[in-house]
Amino acid sequence: MHLQPTDDRRFASRATLASRLCAVRAHSLALAEPLSAEDQGAQSMPDASPTKWHLAHTTWLFETVVLQAFAPHHRPFDVRFGRLFNSYYESLGTRHPRPQRGLLTRPALAEVLAYRAHVDEALQAFIEGADADTWAAAAPLLELGLQHEQQHQELVLTDVLHLLSLNPLAPAYRPATPHAPSTHPGDAGWWECTRSEAEVGHDGRDGFAFDNEGPRHVVRLAPFALARALVTNREVQAFIADGGYRRPEFWLSDGWAMAQAQGWQAPLYWRDGERQFTLHSEQPIDPNAPACHLSFYEASALAAWAGARLPTEFEWEAAAHAWGATAPAGPGPLQPGPRRSGADAQCFGAVWQWTRSSYDPYPRFKPFAGTACEYNGKFMVGQLVLRGSSCATSPGHARLSYRNFFPPAARWQFSGLRLARDIDA
């Protein structure tokens, strides 16, 4: 299994990758630190996974695709772990059923942490000692493993939030930091685009990108306008007050059926019109903060109610590029906050933004080679693209070309929306 050989513009030096490996792996443990062993072993629904499983699965990927493939003298920690912690790689053997990950009381958390330490030590030795040809083949997979672990770091937070929300004690993952009530930042207005073409996607040269982010290509754009600010809780409250969850004219057919079957009356984690459950336990709903934990169906209905629509992912990328949007350099709060100024378009670091684009391959898309071909391409059906990043996204893991994707009914992610509308040329 291999990706393309290393390239000075895309892959870091050995020393840099060794340092990043330490930092990324330590961040996962820091995210787990506030949780008890019982917290880390529980699974709240089939779509979520226990924190313990995330810690082991990311370790399994490093051991399997880097050490077992390129370090012939590596001693596996436990050969049985492949079946327990493989997620969806058909070519790598049988797997424990996803809905039953919470039943894996063994190995215990302490053994999973020992597994991580064993693999981390072996990875550092491999980075230092691999010959040039082996390193050229393995470095892209080490980078993929780091990016993969950062994805799971966000999943740790979203899955823990769902888990703790079901506890009658309403426990906090971390205490809230006191802050002054927000004030309405005012109308951010709309950005208009009348050009007919835009280049989108990763150029394949500078920095890491997943295979689904390219190739870079030209798309046609009809004239459109994009809201400079995200839809807020205030607007959701108005939607609810206007009977939005009871008015089928705003909803896609599947969404309406889902909302009725599931009894949706507000975003996930809203306790009532005044409070919501967060990683800091129950908190007052900030009307000026971005709306969060919305499905694609809810986002589409909100847009229709507002006399607008959801943007395509290409409209989003064209606007974010024109705005000079950049991702936060460091960690942010664990709850999306209000817009800070008139120039803040909230492209990154608040909520993932649903688009109207199906998760499809770009023209001339080619998946990663080898086993890594299963990483993204096989999920390109029945899902919608989200752009940007959220307050739970790990630092350094956001970029303009990043394509997140989830089924349209998913609500437990930090997902919201911004509005788009058509304009005359």
Side-chain angles (χ1 to χ4, degrees), residues 60-117:
W60 165 85
L61 189 75
F62 278 119
E63 183 170 57
T64 302
V65 306
V66 177
L67 295 175
Q68 291 184 358
F70 296 102
H73 302 297
H74 173 69
R75 176 179 57 84
F77 184 84
D78 190 324
V79 295
R80 300 172 299 171
F81 282 8
R83 179 174 181 178
L84 298 184
F85 302 124
N86 182 357
S87 53
Y88 53 74
Y89 292 89
E90 301 288 346
S91 63
L92 295 178
T94 59
R95 298 167 312 288
H96 186 77
R98 179 175 180 174
Q100 297 177 21
R101 290 172 183 170
L103 301 179
L104 296 174
T105 58
R106 309 288 178 89
L109 177 59
E111 191 172 2
V112 167
L113 296 179
Y115 178 37
R116 286 181 67 89

Side-chain angles (χ1 to χ4, degrees), residues 226 296-297 299-300 309-317 352-359 383-388 402-406 408 416-418 420:
L226 195 66
F296 168 81
Y297 294 135
S300 176
R309 60 175 174 81
L310 297 179
T312 68
E313 64 169 316
F314 309 124
E315 291 170 338
W316 187 97
E317 187 170 333
W352 288 100
Q353 294 139 64
W354 286 107
T355 74
R356 198 58 178 84
S357 295
S358 297
Y359 179 51
Q383 311 211 56
L384 281 299
V385 173
L386 302 94
R387 288 303 198 102
Y402 199 110
R403 304 175 77 203
N404 204 350
F405 56 94
F406 279 98
L417 71 150
R418 72 174 68 241

Side-chain angles (χ1 to χ4, degrees), residues 318-343:
H321 181 76
W323 295 338
T326 56
L334 294 178
Q335 188 68 16
R339 184 166 51 89
R340 295 182 298 273
S341 69

Side-chain angles (χ1 to χ4, degrees), residues 23-47:
V24 170
R25 299 285 282 172
H27 186 56
S28 295
L29 296 181
L31 291 175
E33 191 277 330
L35 302 170
S36 68
E38 291 81 4
D39 290 332
Q40 294 192 49
Q43 181 178 21
S44 58
M45 63 172 174
D47 284 340

Side-chain angles (χ1 to χ4, degrees), residues 25 79 96 104-105 115 149 204 218-219 222-223 225 231 268 283 290-291 293 299 307 317 331 348 350 388-389 412 423:
R25 299 285 282 172
V79 295
H96 186 77
L104 296 174
T105 58
Y115 178 37
E149 181 142 353
V218 175
V219 296
V231 168
L268 185 64
Q283 297 290 316
H293 302 298
E317 187 170 333
F348 299 104
S389 67
W412 92 107
I423 60 173

